[in-house]
Amino acid sequence: MTNKIKGKIVVITGASSGLGEAAARLLSAQGASVVLGARRSDRLKSLADELNRNGGKAVAVATDVTHRNQVKKLVDTAVQEFGRIDVMINNAGIMPRAPLDVNIKGVLYGMAAALLHMKKQKSGHMIFVSSVAGHKIGPDFAVYAATKHAVRALAEGFRQEVKPYNIRTTIISPGAVDTELPGSVTEPDIAEKIRTYYEDIAIPAESFAHAVVFAMSQPDEVDVNEILFRPIKQML
Ligand SMILES: NC(=O)c1ccc[n+]([C@@H]2O[C@H](COP(=O)([O-])OP(=O)(O)OC[C@H]3O[C@@H](n4cnc5c(N)ncnc54)[C@H](OP(=O)(O)O)[C@@H]3O)[C@@H](O)[C@H]2O)c1
């Protein structure tokens, strides 16, 4: 397969750790220019510095996705620095603390900011990060599951609405992946349950990065709309 990643301009929200960081590393190693957004600017900057030292092209933009103007600045930076935006990975997300703001509003702001440019370009690829929790509902994670179901609904509506603009749409729904996500659960008993569960079964964050590369590497006329993957050990 020819390298369809090389030269792509990719914006990633939530790039300071976990899935976003893993995607940034793999895409950069394969020749994409990456524009990284998250709140922890020190971590973002050291990741961008490392990728640039290794011959990549990376820019860090401190971004809180709950602020629409900051998401717009992140996306506009990609266009200013590199001339266009090929892929927007709406990845930033949390489990506890106001997940509606980050997981839904943050995604909407990402869609709006990137769509502005993709419509003009008549090309682009919007990648949404849902979850197994966007397909399954269980005790202790109803609100999180609701946000991830919402992401899939938004993505499917978006897919249909952007037909005139030659924009691809991919929803990636991971199962348990080893990131900082479980550490962000504030309810102590639920946090403990999730930590133990993840210790037993979680798979490396590169699994997500490979899914991104798969979706981006398709022939131009092919639109991979959904990828659902789990650790082989995961039941639900
Ligand atoms: N790990 C899993 O098992 C799993 C499974 C299914 C889906 N997911 C989804 O994968 C996505 C990434 O999570 P992860 O597992 O990689 O967890 P993580 O390691 O905790 O990473 C979450 C990322 O989101 C960023 N973020 C959080 N709030 C933000 C805000 N207000 N503005 C901008 N960035 C923000 C964080 O950066 P800052 O704190 O620096 O802002 C961080 O870079 C989430 O949407 C999550 O729901 C994860």
Side-chain angles (χ1 to χ4, degrees), residues 10-17 20-21 24 34-41 43-45 47-48 59-65 70-71 73-75 88-89 91-93:
V10 185
V11 177
I12 308 172
T13 65
S16 61
S17 65
E21 179 183 345
V34 291
V35 180
L36 314 172
R39 293 164 306 172
R40 288 170 292 177
S41 50
R43 288 181 59 153
L44 269 191
K45 189 175 174 317
L47 176 60
V59 178
V61 184
T63 308
D64 183 333
V65 297
Q70 293 187 26
V71 183
K73 185 173 154 225
L74 170 71
V75 169
M88 174 75 183
I89 306 184
N91 165 70

Side-chain angles (χ1 to χ4, degrees), residues 18-35:
L19 307 188
E21 179 183 345
R25 285 181 188 284
L26 186 62
L27 292 171
S28 179
Q30 297 198 5
S33 300
V34 291
V35 180

